[in-house]
Amino acid sequence: MSNRIDMLLKMHEESPEDTFVLFALAKEHQSMDKTEIALEYYNKLLTADKDYVGAYYHLGKLYETLQQIEDAIKTYKMGIQIANAAGDHHAKSELAGALMNIDEDFE
């Protein structure tokens, strides 16, 4: 494993609900093509904080990579709702753009 992963795992042991650490672990594993582990961390993150708007885009992209298009669509739609509620127009726009690329019915 990489030094970065080791460092993040140590941080995760010390603070298992730290959303930044969960997100970083998901991204690190995703970048290493360890998709199943990345999925686990994204799910832990969204269980700990469903309002962590940045996770929805990356999780949706991971689902797209895995050809799980229905899961990607659901994830993007949930992310749009969360971003809208938070007033995060930039995230909402990114999520909507990603959704439009895979869902012909989305407007």
Side-chain angles (χ1 to χ4, degrees), residues 9-59:
L9 287 171
K10 184 175 182 341
M11 292 170 66
H12 180 56
E13 281 180 26
E14 295 169 3
S15 185
E17 297 294 314
D18 185 318
T19 54
F20 172 77
V21 173
L22 291 168
F23 182 75
L25 280 164
K27 288 295 297 164
E28 283 297 314
H29 284 94
Q30 187 174 0
S31 72
M32 297 167 59
D33 291 324
K34 295 183 178 184
T35 56
E36 293 304 316
I37 297 171
L39 276 174
E40 287 178 34
Y41 282 110
Y42 281 125
N43 287 320
K44 285 180 184 181
L45 167 59
L46 292 175
T47 297
D49 181 4
K50 70 172 181 55
D51 294 330
Y52 199 102
V53 72
Y56 290 94
Y57 179 85
H58 296 285
L59 178 56

Side-chain angles (χ1 to χ4, degrees), residues 59-75:
L59 178 56
K61 286 296 180 187
L62 181 56
Y63 280 134
E64 283 188 61
T65 299
L66 297 171
Q67 298 297 307
Q68 296 176 11
I69 303 305
E70 290 303 315
D71 289 326
I73 289 170
K74 288 180 202 173
T75 300

